[in-house]
Structures are given as structure tokens and as C-alpha cells.
Amino acid sequence: MDLHQLVSGNIFNPLPEYPTDQRSVNVPHAPKRNVPLTLEEKKLAVRNALRYVPSHLHGLMAKEFANELEEYGHIYAFRFMPNYDLMAPTLSEIPAKCGQAASIILMILNNLDPNVAQFPQELVTYGGNGQVFSNWIQFRLTLHYLSIMDEEQTLVMYSGHPSGLFPSHRDAPRMVITNGMMVPNYSTKELYDKYFALGVTQYGQMTAGSYCYIGPQGIVHGTTITVMNAGRKYLGTDNLAGKVLVTSGLGGMSGAQAKAAVIAGCIGVIAEINETALMKRHKQGWLDLYSDNLDSIIEHIKDYRKSKKPVSIGYLGNIVDLWERLCEEKEMLVELGSDQTSCHNPYNGGYYPAGLSFEESEKLMASNPEEFQRCVQKSLLRQIKAIEKLTARGLYFWDYGNAFLLECHRAGADILPEGATDTKSFKYPSYFQHIMGDIFSMGFGPFRWVCTSGDPADLRKSDEIAANVIKELSQLDLPQGVRQQYEDNRHWIENAEKHELVVGSQARILYSDQQGRSTLALAFNKAVKDGVIKAPIVISRDHHDVSGTDSPYRETANITDGSAYCADMAVQNVIGDALRGATWVSIHNGGGVGWGDVINGGFGMLLDGSESASHRAEAMLNWDVANGVTRRSWSGNEYAYEAMKRTQQRIKGLHVTLPNSVADEKILDTLF
């Protein structure tokens, strides 16, 4: 990997050879995107891409861009893709004037590592359409800007497009990112295809478009916590030995499910239609065994139920066929069920219908989108029908916030409970409504860090620091629910290394609350200053967090005061993070449940051992968590209310508006 050439900004002189060798590498590719453009709009898409290209090359590149639009449904500018695999280097290897900017380059390159990214050549990190950039010229231009910027400049990103470097100041973010921000009336899934094809917007998912994805480890911890707490809530046990979880998806972030099931101590059975995706997880050691034969899958389930040994079993086939086969079995073989297909994008590769092979689906979605949509909806109805049969026999099923139940509802399934007062509360609660919502309300969410030295020893040392911090915090006078979360997370971090979670950069995830995150950040920064950790650490979090996301079908599904459909929290959060010293910030439309259904944002921050880094980290993390807990408290959540009362006592200058609950409902009953 030639870092100096990548950041040089010398993109067109000479014009690079087409990367034929790299294009022939065996990696997963995005399906052909829909192109709902008129003839004039297709010309506009090419014209838009040519704005990056010197005019003397327009004749050549116009034809190339037009061919890509016709063949792939999007102009990716493949000629400018490096002719080698990308990966995260060490921070010291990156040629840049500014350490903060170098840290962003490191994170971008990690997001496009073939071991991390779902469709690396199409610049998709995860979720089927979570773009890092819209095309490869944007990638090269962005890296160049970052390499030449100083600590008094900010790079502005419009949906993958580097708008330019603008003067700012040392405590301002080095980068501000927006992805998919639309005038509200035009934020529809139908119009997304049009504007993405035109090259003027992109779907950044969550941590794809903010460059903070750390591979499937980023969701392993959350999935593990979800499964453990599902056992406590639904089965009344902390011991999941011999219990079976059936779900689907091994591609992007859903690839975490196999590892999470084993860590949680259960038998995970995960269907995946894409053989390449399944084999990737198997070769990584995350998926223990697999078969494309349902008889074999059933026998494996029965064997491991008897032995009570944790295991991950992959079914190479369609999840609908697996659910229907489980219905046929006289013995009830499954206790827990969910789904992690990318149903936020069901008609463009996020969901593959029963009755069609992977290859047949790819062809049909490109050649006849209307018929493909009908096939998807029929398949969803079959899937939910099978799930309903099993829930009648004792299965506990939850929606994983991937819009599965929402799309079933849109397909015509009768899944609203009797007497439903809204359209976001289905008869099968989302994992957020029943499991994770109260955990977020206590302030616990997915905090992350990356050791920029690339040295596993630094990650090991950071794990030790984190374990000690949690152990000390758990000794404080805390509510039992908070103490339980600290204990769960101490167990996680103490065992993280042995689970071999690292894919790509030397990174870790840990659920923590505001006090935990601030204490961890200060401890990490001191370790860098003292040389205990050899190079700076980047901290970030998933956008799927306490304050980062407004999403009525997921992160704010348990908000019951009517504001679940409002996006003030996520927008305020990114503004507040920027004001308090984040190295970079982002705000996105879409992510998780789909375009138009969610606003989410995130941050990255470089801890370089300096006093200013400590000051910025403490100021920003105090806000980044308290903002969301305050909102959850105001909506009536008792855990959030208690958390904010404790936090106000601890943080100087914090004084929030706490609600006065209505104790006597009769007051309201007599009004209208």
C-alpha cells in the first residue's frame, strides 16, 4: 500500500491505468443499483461525476462513467480505485501535517479493508448500502485534503463529497460530515435511488459514513448483551446452555451473531443465503460449522441441545426455509428468535426472498424490480407466518431494529397488537422496547476505541486499564441495575482477547455509561502520555447509542411521550459534540432501519496524551451521554430519571429539567 501516492492529490497526471487485477479479485460485490433516471438525468449523473475530472479527459471518462451507470447502477469511478487492498496502517506511517487528520485517514482505510468492508470495491462498509464515499475520486481527494490540512482548518464533507478545507480553529472539529440530509418531503426510499444514482447523496448507514466501523466486533458486544438479557427477561435464566437462538444474516454487522451466541453460552443457528459471506465468517473462526442441508442442521441442533455446548451453526440457505422446517418438527427446538437481514433496504440486496437462489435474486432485482419486490413481500409473509406458529408453541421472538417487522407490516402482515395506539409497537416488541431501551436509559451504550499503533500489546494494555476502571466504578454506591451492567461489562472486557474479536484495526468495544466513558478516556490519555500505550488512541462510539440516534422503530422505540418521531436529540448531539472538541463529527439520514426513518450521528476523537485532549474528552463525553439520558428522563423513563439525578450531583454546571409525573390518571380520564 503506497500511502504517499494515495494522499498525493496527483489523481489525473498521469491518468491511472484501469485496476484490472484488483477488479478481478474474489471479493463480494454490491448488487446492481436501481437507476430510476430519465435520459436527461443520466446525462446529469455523468456531468456531475465529470466535475472532478480535468476537461481534457472528459471525452474518455464520460464514456467510462456512462458504462458504469448502465452496468452497476452507479458511477463508482473504478479507474481511480487503488490496485491493491486497503488496510489501516499505524498512525506514524501516515504522511500528514496534523495528527488528528492522520487519525481520520487511518479510520477511513480501515473501513475499506476487505476483511472489514462488506463490498470494498463499491465503497460499502456494511448494511448492503452503507457508503464510505460515493466514488473513488472522492476517496482520493479526501485523503489528499486530510494530508495537507493543519490544526486550524476543517474539512467539510457532503455525502461523500469533500467540499473543501475551511479556516477554523484548534478546538474545532477537523472534519464535519453530513450524509443523506434531505429536505423532509424528499426523504423517501423511492427518491433515494434517484439521488444516489445522480451522485448527489449517499446512505452512510451509521459508522460507515463516519469512518468509525470496527468490523463485526462493533456489534458483537451489543448482540451478546441482547441475548443475555433476553435469557433473563424471557426465559428467567442467566444460563443459556442448551438454549437455541435462530436468526439470519452473516454478511456485514450481522456477522457478529455467530460469535455473540457462543459468548452468551447458547446454540446460535444463523441462516445466510450468500455463500461468500458465510464462508468469510467461517474462515475468520466466527462460525463454527455450517451445512446447506436442513436435515443436517436439525441434527446439529438436537445434538448440541443434548450436550449443552455453545456453538454457532450456519445454514447456507434461506431463513424462510429454516423457520418453516422448524415448524414441521414435533419437538420444539428453538427458544429465542430474531432477524438481522438488512430489511432497511429490502429491495436492493438487503433481503433475498425464498424460492430464488442468491444469483437469481441478484438478476431479478436488476431486470425486474417490481417483480422482485413482490417476491420479497411474499417471502416476508411466509417468514412471519412461520415465526407466529412457533411463538404459539413458546418461541420468544424480537425485532432487532432492522425494519424486519416494519417491512412485514408494509407487506400486509397483521402484526399490530389488538388496541394498538401507534404503528411502531408490533405484537413482537423490538429488542429496544423490551431489552436495550432501559440499558440505554441508564446511560450505557457502545463506547469504542482504536489503538493507532496497530500493536496487539497496546490493545491488551487498554483492556487491562478498562477492566480496572470498571472494577473501581462498580464499588461505588450504585442502583442494582447499573451495578449489573458494570459486572456484565467487566466480564466482557476481561474475556475480550480470548474471543479473538479483532478484524482490521486493533479495536475494542465496551458498553459504558457517562461516568465510565469519561473515566476510561482520561485513563487512556494518561497511558498515552506516560508511554504505557505507545501511540494515540481514537475513541468513538456506534451511532446506535444513548444520544446519537432518533429512530422510532429502534433507538427511540421506548419513548412514549409522542416525541419518538422527533429528531432534536440527534441533531443537538452532533452540534454539542462539535462545540466541545470532537476531532470529527457526523450526522446522517438513514442507518439501521432505513432512509427517512432515522436521523443519527457520531464522533471520533484522538487522545494524544495532551492536556487539551483530556479537557476535550471530558467536556464532550459529559454532554454526549447526558443529552440522551436527559431526553429519556423527560419522556418518563424511571431509569433515566434516576441516572440524571445522580449525574447532576456529580458534574459541576449540569442542571437539567426533570419531569413531574402524573400520579393520578383519573385527572386525565375526566377531561375529554
Side-chain angles (χ1 to χ4, degrees), residues 217 447-453 455-470 493-494 496-497 502 506-510 519-521 523-525 527-528 532-539 607:
Q217 179 192 172
F447 183 64
R448 300 173 173 180
W449 63 91
V450 175
C451 295
T452 66
S453 66
D455 188 344
D458 274 354
L459 184 61
R460 187 177 305 116
K461 177 54 67 174
S462 73
D463 287 347
E464 293 173 8
I465 292 170
N468 288 333
V469 165
I470 294 172
I493 200 68
E494 288 177 348
E497 184 177 10
V502 171
Q506 293 294 316
R508 187 69 76 223
I509 182 170
L510 174 71
T519 308
L520 284 167
F524 289 158
N525 198 53
V528 173
V532 175
I533 289 176
K534 294 186 286 296
I537 283 179
V538 171
I539 59 169
L607 301 178

Side-chain angles (χ1 to χ4, degrees), residues 358-371:
F358 179 76
E359 293 75 18
E360 289 168 341
S361 291
E362 295 264 286
K363 290 178 183 178
L364 186 61
M365 77 175 74
S367 64
N368 192 340
E370 294 80 11
E371 178 60 24

Side-chain angles (χ1 to χ4, degrees), residues 45-61:
V46 174
R47 182 183 292 114
N48 287 342
L50 288 173
R51 289 180 291 186
Y52 294 105
V53 179
S55 57
H56 70 278
L57 295 173
H58 280 187
L60 171 64
M61 295 312 303

Side-chain angles (χ1 to χ4, degrees), residues 191-407:
L191 286 177
Y192 169 75
D193 290 337
K194 174 181 177 177
Y195 292 117
F196 180 60
L198 285 173
V200 295
T201 194
Q202 69 177 20
Y203 190 83
Q205 267 286 355
M206 291 190 165
T207 51
S210 66
Y211 324 138
C212 293
Y213 191 63
I214 59 169
Q217 179 192 172
I219 194 68
V220 170
H221 189 21
T223 306
T224 302
I225 289 174
T226 300
V227 175
M228 288 169 55
N229 283 284
R232 290 168 180 156
K233 184 174 185 66
Y234 299 134
L235 306 180
T237 182
D238 282 316
N239 183 3
L240 292 176
K243 306 300 183 185
V244 176
L245 165 70
V246 171
T247 181
S248 60
L250 287 167
M253 59 188 291
S254 61
Q257 295 183 104
K259 176 68 79 172
V262 173
I263 296 173
C266 69
I267 300 159
V269 185
I270 308 98
E272 172 58 61
I273 192 71
N274 184 345
E275 184 175 7
T276 302
L278 181 144
M279 292 306 299
K280 180 178 181 178
R281 300 305 174 205
H282 183 59
K283 290 175 182 176
Q284 285 176 340
W286 286 39
L287 181 68
D288 295 324
L289 53 97
Y290 69 93
S291 174
D292 61 0
N293 184 288
L294 281 171
D295 290 338
S296 296
I297 296 296
I298 296 299
E299 287 305 311
H300 285 316
I301 293 173
K302 290 179 179 179
D303 289 344
Y304 280 94
R305 280 172 68 87
K306 290 177 182 176
S307 70
K308 298 186 182 300
K309 181 181 177 182
V311 68
S312 55
I313 304 167
Y315 169 53
L316 179 55
N318 197 287
I319 183 60
V320 179
D321 297 327
L322 176 57
W323 280 121
E324 290 178 342
R325 176 56 188 275
L326 287 165
C327 287
E328 295 171 4
E329 292 294 313
K330 291 182 180 180
E331 182 183 357
M332 185 61 181
L333 295 177
V334 53
E335 286 83 13
L336 302 171
S338 192
D339 187 280
Q340 279 196 31
T341 49
S342 296
C343 279
H344 69 276
N345 184 37
Y347 309 128
N348 283 296
Y351 183 94
Y352 288 79
L356 295 175
S357 69
F358 179 76
E359 293 75 18
E360 289 168 341
S361 291
E362 295 264 286
K363 290 178 183 178
L364 186 61
M365 77 175 74
S367 64
N368 192 340
E370 294 80 11
E371 178 60 24
F372 184 73
Q373 180 171 337
R374 285 191 287 270
C375 290
V376 167
Q377 291 186 327
K378 288 179 182 178
S379 185
L380 286 166
L381 292 175
R382 280 177 58 185
Q383 184 171 345
I384 193 63
K385 182 179 179 180
I387 289 167
E388 295 217 88
K389 287 182 180 179
L390 289 167
T391 58
R393 295 170 59 186
L395 168 72
Y396 289 94
F397 182 86
W398 68 89
D399 184 287
Y400 209 88
N402 60 330
F404 169 69
L405 289 181
L406 177 61
E407 290 301 330

Side-chain angles (χ1 to χ4, degrees), residues 20-29 81 85 114-115 117-122 274-277 279-280 283 358:
T20 303
D21 292 345
Q22 191 67 9
R23 288 289 289 145
S24 64
V25 170
N26 183 25
V27 295
H29 288 285
M81 180 180 74
D85 288 346
N115 291 315
Q118 186 178 13
F119 306 131
Q121 296 195 3
E122 289 80 18
N274 184 345
E275 184 175 7
T276 302
M279 292 306 299
K280 180 178 181 178
K283 290 175 182 176
F358 179 76

Side-chain angles (χ1 to χ4, degrees), residues 558-591:
N558 69 328
I559 298 292
T560 58
D561 66 351
S563 71
Y565 300 93
C566 302
D568 300 87
M569 180 178 71
V571 174
Q572 286 280 0
N573 213 70
V574 73
I575 294 170
D577 285 352
L579 290 173
R580 290 167 175 82
T583 304
W584 72 98
V585 294
S586 67
I587 186 77
H588 302 178
N589 171 17

